[in-house]
Structures are given as C-alpha cells and as structure tokens.
Amino acid sequence: MDIARTPSTPDGNIEMADAAVEPKAPPEIRREDYTPFAWLVPTTRLDFALGLEKTRVTATLEVERNPAADASPTIRLNGDGLELVSLKCDGGDCAGHMMDGDDLVVTLEGDSHTLEIVTELDPSANSQLMGLYASGGMLCTQCEAEGFRRITFFPDRPDVLSTYTVTMRAPKKDFPVLLSNGNRVRMDDDGELLTAEWHDPWPKPSYLFALVAGDLVARTDHFTTMSGRVVELNVWVRDGDLERTEHAMESLKRSMKWDEETFGREYDLDLFNIVAVSDFNMGAMENKGLNVFNTKYVLADPETATDGDYDGIEGVIGHEYFHNWSGNRITCRDWFQLSLKEGFTVLRDQLFSQDMGSAPVKRIEDVRVLRGAQFPEDSGPLAHPIRPDSYREISNFYTATVYNKGAEVIRMMKTLAGDEAFRQGTDTYFDRHDGEAATCEDFVRSIEDGAGLDLTQFRLWYSQAGTPKVSVNLTHHGDEAILELSQNVPDTPGQSGKKPMPIPLKIALFDRDEGTHAGEQLIVLDKASDTFRFPGFATKPVLSINRGFSAPVSIQRDIPSDELVFLAATDDDPFARYEAMQDLMVAYLVSASKGDLDEESREAKQADIVRAIGSVIDDEAIEDLMRGELMSMPSQTYIMEQIDEADPARIFERREELKAVIGRKLAHGLRQLYQRAEKLPYSRSAEAKGARKLKTLVLSYLVASDPQGASALAAKQYENADNMTDRQGALMVLTGVDGVERTGALLDFYNRYRGNPLVIDKWFSLQAMSMHPQVIEHVKALAEHEDFTLKNPNRVRSLYMAFAANPHGFHAESGEGYRMIADLILGLDPINAQTAARFVPALGRWRKMEPGRSALMREQLERIAAAPKLSRDTFEQVTRSLG
Ligand code: B3K
Ligand code: ZN
C-alpha cells in the first residue's frame, strides 16, 4: 500500500494541502483547529471473510448527525490505500460520493443513515504492520493511531465512539482461533469454515478495535474482581511457547489486583485476552479486552529471559492492563491529548512496578530512561511539549516526552497533592469523564477539584517544552542557611521566552558532623528566582536536593567533591545517594574529556571516585540491587549530553580509563563481591537478582583493567550459567574483547538458541553494542546474516537500535556509522515507515557534536531528505531534524 496520501484535518472537513508548503510536504495538523465530528456512529458491524492474501471486509455503520457539531452535507470516512469494492446508503445508492485523496466523502441528506462499505485487503502484503496484517501464518491488527483506516473507510479519530459487533469467517485448519474485542457471542463450525461473532458492549474509538485469527494455544486462568465477578484470562501463543507464559499471566493477575487496591479500578468484561505476535512495531497494544503483545513482552523462562526481560514483561503487562481505564474507558479527544492516556498510564505502571519490587531501584531506572531518552529529545530539534501543538504524522509523537515526561508531570501533581488527595483527584477524573473522549485540561481540572489544588501555573508543564535548568546556591550567614534558586526553561524549536514553571523540590539539609537532617521538606520554586531561608544552623549544612527526583529538571550547582562523597555515603534518600555518585563521576568525566584537568587533579578526582565506590562495596547495609545502581558508571551518551561539541572518542577513552582505574584499585573488593554473589543459587528473589547484577558489573570493571583475567572469569560465568542474565552478561563482556573466548562464546550462543528468535535478537544486539574496535565491520556482516531481515521490527531494532546507541560504533570518526543508519532508514522506509522514522533522532543530534562529526551527520540527513519518495513519518522527522 502506498503511504503517500492526501491528508485530512482532525475535524474531518475537506481541506487541501496548504499552497505555501512545498508539494511533497504533508500538511501540519494543528491542535487549535479541533472541531467535533459532524456525525455520531452509535453502532459498527464488521464482517470479515479472512484469508492471508485476501480478506473481504463489510462494514455497516449506523450514522446520526451530531447535535453538538456544526451540520455538514457530507461525511468524511478516512481511508489509507484502500480500494472501495462497493458502497450502499440505506440499502441502495448514495446521493453522492467521491474520493478525496485516500478518504471517501459521502453526501448524506437526512439525519440518520445506514452505510454499507465493502473493501478488500491483502494482509500478507502489509509490511507496515498497521491495519490488518499477517505474521507467521496468523492474522492480527494494529490500529493505533491511524491503522483502522487501512481496514475500512471510517471516521478514524479517537472522539468517535461506537459499539462494535464483529463477525469473522475463516478456514478452520489455518485459523482455529478467532478473537476480537469484548465477548464471544456465537461460534459456528461446519467442519471447514469457522464463524465467530464477538460483541463489545463498551463504546470505543476505532484505534481500540482488534482481531486475531490463527493457530494458537492459551494459558488460561481466572481472576475474581473486587465485586466478586470471575474474569477468564487467556494468554495466547504459538504451540511450543506455552511454558514461557507463566510470568505474563502472574503479572496480569497482579496488575488487576493492584489497580483495584491503588486506584479503585475494577475490570469490566468477563474475558481478558492477551495474544503474543512476533512481528510488531512496538511493545504492545491495549485494544479493549484483546491486548496484542510483542512476544518480547510475553515469553519468559530463566533459560531465555534476563531479569530485565522479566521486569519489562511485568511493566508492559501492567501498562496495557491499566489502559483499560486510563485510555479505554476514558480515551483521548484528539491525538494531541496522547499524554492524557500515555503519561498517566506510564505513571501507573511505574508505581505498580515500584510496589512489586524495589521502589528506589525502580525510581532510579525510570530516571535513567528519562535522562537517556527524554532529556536529549527536549534539548534537540525534535523537542515538543507533552501536549504537542502540531504534527504531520502522529506516529512520530509516541515519544519519551509524551510518555515519560508526561508521567513525571503527573507524578509532580501527586507530590504536590500528597497521596490521599491525589487519589481523590484521580477518582474525580474517572467518575467525571467515564465513557468520554477527554482532554489533558479535563484531567488537570479533575485533579484540581478532587485534590483541592490550584494548578493554574502548573499547566505550563503541558505547553512548554524543554528541560528546566535550576541553578542552586547555598550560603550560610549567622545561624541561617540561605538557598538561592533560579530557573531557566531553554528555548526550543518554535518556542522562546518561556515563563517560570512551578518546580517542586524535595530537599534535606544535613549536619555534616552528625550525618543527619531534621526532616525532608518540599519547596516549590515558582518564580524565575527565589530565596529560601532555613534558621537553626550553626554551621553550613550539606544540601540534598531534588530527592526522589521530585521534578524532571536539570540541577546546576557547584558542589565540592567532598560533599558529594558525603551524600553518596550518607544520604537516607536512595535516589539522592545514587545521584551523588553519578554527579561525582559525571563531573569528573566531563572535565577530563574537555581536557580541563591536569594530571594531578585528575588523579585526585579519580581517587575520590574510587574511595566512594569502595565504601559502597563495603557497606553491608545496602541491598545488592541498590549496590549495583550506586556502582554503575554514567552512560557515555549521558556524558555526551552534558558537553557542547562533544567528542565521543575522548569521552570513550576517559570513561574506559576510569573503569580501568576502578578495576585495578578495587580489584580485591570486586573479586570478593563476585565470589559472594556467585554462591547464590538462581531464584527470582531481589537478593538473587542483585547478586546477578553485581556479577556482570564486576566483570565490566575488571575487564577494563585486566582483559585476560576477566575474560577467563567471564568465560567461566558463560559456561556455568543456568540462566540468561548470567549468560548474556558474560557474553556482553566477552564481545568487547578480542580473543578466542569471544568467538567461541558467540558461536555457542548462536547454536544453542538458534530456534528462538527473541534470544537470537540478543545475539545481534550484543555484537552491535560492543566496544570491540571492529564493531562496524561486525554490524555490516550481521546485516548480511541469513537470520537478518528488515521485515521483522524486533530484528531490525536488535541490530540497528543497539548500534545507533553505541557511541563507539555509531560515532566512528569516519562517519561510516552515520552512513549505515542513513542507509537503513532509506531501505526500511518503504517497508516499515514507522520503524524507519524511529532511527532519525540519532542523526538529529548533530548540533551537539564536534564540528567534524556534526557535518557528517547533517550530510546523511540531507541525503535522506533528498530521496525522491519518503513516507510522511520519515519526512517529518528528517525535516525537523535539519531545522
Ligand atoms: N498505545 C500503544 C502505542 C501505540 C503506538 C502506535 N504507533 C501502546 C501503549 O502505549 O500502551
Ligand atoms: Zn500506553
């Protein structure tokens, strides 16, 4: 299907492309242009005659004029590459109809009508994986955001809610299982042909429609809701994968219970189905009653899934389940409101995972993701507010900003309100807007009313992009500690001269000698600058600020190393303790990479870091999972973000050197830690997970100082491993070192897991992430490997996302890494535009790099922009990135 098309406006009115825009530019859709749709669609009947190569869809829509909208003589039904087979109005000919680009516009005179639309599709040819597509012999759908229009002509916008009844007919031998949203109301089997009818009693927008047809088996279980209803739960997979679904099912049951206890939300159907598919553009999709998942977020056993995989599954299962209320029962009025469901649901899944495991470690992981993915977005050419003002292709706005910063913004509301009042706020939201397509403004007003807050100024967090910088200066006079704070919200594309935002900061002032503080306080910086005075301090205290990462800001302060060492050893807020360790290392690596330090101060600062890590190793009160966080080095990407005109090679050198110093100076303590960790048998307890995390972390330090010795230890860990965390960790260390152990382990890993695509993905990733000097040649060879294909997004990401995130390979001085990613984008764009466009931001960081690399990156962006035919997705990302 051709994805270049004439666009429609969000209000559904006909509007041709703006004449001022060059011909190939798709138009900009603007939030301020929203108008309600002129028609309601109370019921939708869909009849599918299913086949892999030919599927016929008959859609019967009851339509009525929307009394809340301006009357229109026509109804616009969105299509995308569809062929209209037939159209009937009230059983006969329509008064008139025309194609406007890909959309079907039908003239309707009266107040209510029945439209019958027949389309025909070839799911096997749908490589975009949007709409109805074939994956490994089964059929499945992905409709968010605008995939339903690739199935039938429909007002494909989230504010048109309809009640769906779906009939599926398919050959039984190929498709013995037929699923759709809601409840199954009928099943006929004539021996050859299977007919199933499904009815979903909850009105929903088209993006939540789903069907699955295939040869699948299920793990079945039950959950009894808080009002005593028994819900049947199924996790559907291919035969042979059933044994790897237990964790997914347990995660689902835990999610259902948690949402009842924490947000008072009960499930609302008698059936909940999850289906795992191996070709999927993202993690999973929250279709009503029929969640479709990437196999990566369903299948796990200790032999094939790491601890990170297990956590990911729990988080994503929770996320999609929580959408049943935050997304499905209350959906979005238009796609500009995406953070209404995504930001809130990410917060809900984060809180869930915090409650299921170690809360401080989860918080640290979430902040790491925010800083690693969202901060760069906010400081680059693709910066946008959590509620964007315009887009050309909405798929490009499923971003870390909308999701993760969106979650942080709602988390700040929770911090400001307190837990109880926040719950009153969310109750108000769910009660007030149940069954509606709502806006971010509706959410904020509900929290204001329910929690009793004034969020007038806080709303700026929805409209202003950019990570605020908060400058901190603490002084001491008489018996007073004086804290001067100021904020600056940087200019971003299309936005300058921003207003001060309310920034909630949790702080504590430590008595240096006692190592204690008189209690955490919440202060709110809501002006450009402000001064806070704290009496009762005979000497200058040590400031712990933004504890728990209470605000998604960047703290700028000159803090002496010894105060960071103090906080790293003493702070009772685990996040602040982690932060002090990170600050200590970041400060050193930034100045060392810029060449600002002479030999002597370099050594002195390295010694501070070694001492701080040494005390973390020795501190018996710390749990190992947390110890692993405290000992982790900041990523190279994060360090690069702190430097203008960054030179990745220099940062890499300094970082490796620091690792080697730590490995050498602390070799004894690290080896002891390893030996202790090694003794713990495999289990999924926090203690055993912590031990596994430490083993690989220790190896990564030791390998920097003693490649030979550490390789032998890693090879032993690889061979003796009885779980994927240990085996993958060891292989990761080995792939960075040239030697026989590397070749042997890689070969063994491939042969051992040959039939398991998710594990073979790891094999591709590990090599692409490697610090090996020949990583570029390795990635080129892997792209030619018989198991590599551009058709499977997991495989593409496993090789190229890993490579684009590998500063060592991607930023090779020759520019070869940039060329490889540009080649990939151009090759993938016609096959899977959504996935191709996701690679553009890596090249979009060109302004941050030193002049040589900056020019090479830009050159590749220009090469992509010059391609004769680009998808709307890639076109938008490339033009915005060029600025
Ligand atoms: N809502 C889906 C994301 C759909 C992305 C479409 N490009 C999954 C999620 O966030 O839960
Ligand atoms: Zn989501």
Side-chain angles (χ1 to χ4, degrees), residues 144-145 282 284-286 319-320 323 341-342 398 403 834:
E144 187 176 0
M282 63 261 170
M285 177 64 211
E286 70 264 23
H319 181 97
E320 305 311 328
H323 266 315
K341 75 178 179 81
E342 296 304 348
Y398 287 74
Y403 275 61
Q834 225 178 83

Side-chain angles (χ1 to χ4, degrees), residues 314-327:
E314 183 179 72
V316 177
I317 294 251
H319 181 97
E320 305 311 328
Y321 174 72
F322 303 142
H323 266 315
N324 190 55
W325 273 94
S326 48

Side-chain angles (χ1 to χ4, degrees), residues 87-232:
L87 169 70
K88 283 187 190 151
C89 294
D90 304 314
D93 288 345
C94 300
H97 72 272
M98 59 171 276
M99 294 301 294
D100 177 32
D102 276 2
D103 293 349
L104 171 63
V105 181
V106 185
T107 305
L108 290 179
E109 279 155 6
D111 283 343
S112 64
H113 297 277
T114 304
L115 301 179
E116 190 200 88
I117 302 151
V118 179
T119 51
E120 225 164 60
L121 321 169
D122 176 359
S124 70
N126 182 355
S127 64
Q128 302 287 343
L129 312 185
M130 284 294 281
L132 178 71
Y133 65 93
S135 171
M138 67 192 265
L139 288 168
C140 64
T141 53
Q142 171 56 36
C143 293
E144 187 176 0
E146 296 179 338
F148 193 72
R149 61 185 66 184
R150 292 163 65 88
I151 297 173
T152 187
F153 291 99
F154 196 83
D156 193 14
R157 38 186 285 165
D159 59 348
V160 175
L161 307 189
S162 186
T163 305
Y164 285 67
T165 306
V166 177
T167 306
M168 287 171 272
R169 277 171 293 121
K172 186 181 171 183
K173 69 171 180 23
D174 300 325
F175 305 103
V177 175
L178 301 175
L179 307 170
S180 190
N181 314 90
N183 302 310
R184 198 175 75 186
V185 291
R186 183 166 69 92
M187 181 73 158
D188 295 330
D189 178 356
D190 77 358
E192 282 187 12
L193 201 68
L194 221 49
T195 306
E197 187 176 311
W198 288 74
H199 176 73
D200 180 0
W202 297 101
K204 62 171 176 287
S206 50
Y207 82 85
L208 289 174
F209 163 78
L211 78 72
V212 171
D215 192 357
L216 299 163
V217 289
R219 174 184 290 270
T220 301
D221 210 324
H222 294 91
F223 178 79
T224 305
T225 69
M226 60 189 185
S227 69
R229 250 176 342 91
V230 178
V231 181
E232 181 187 319

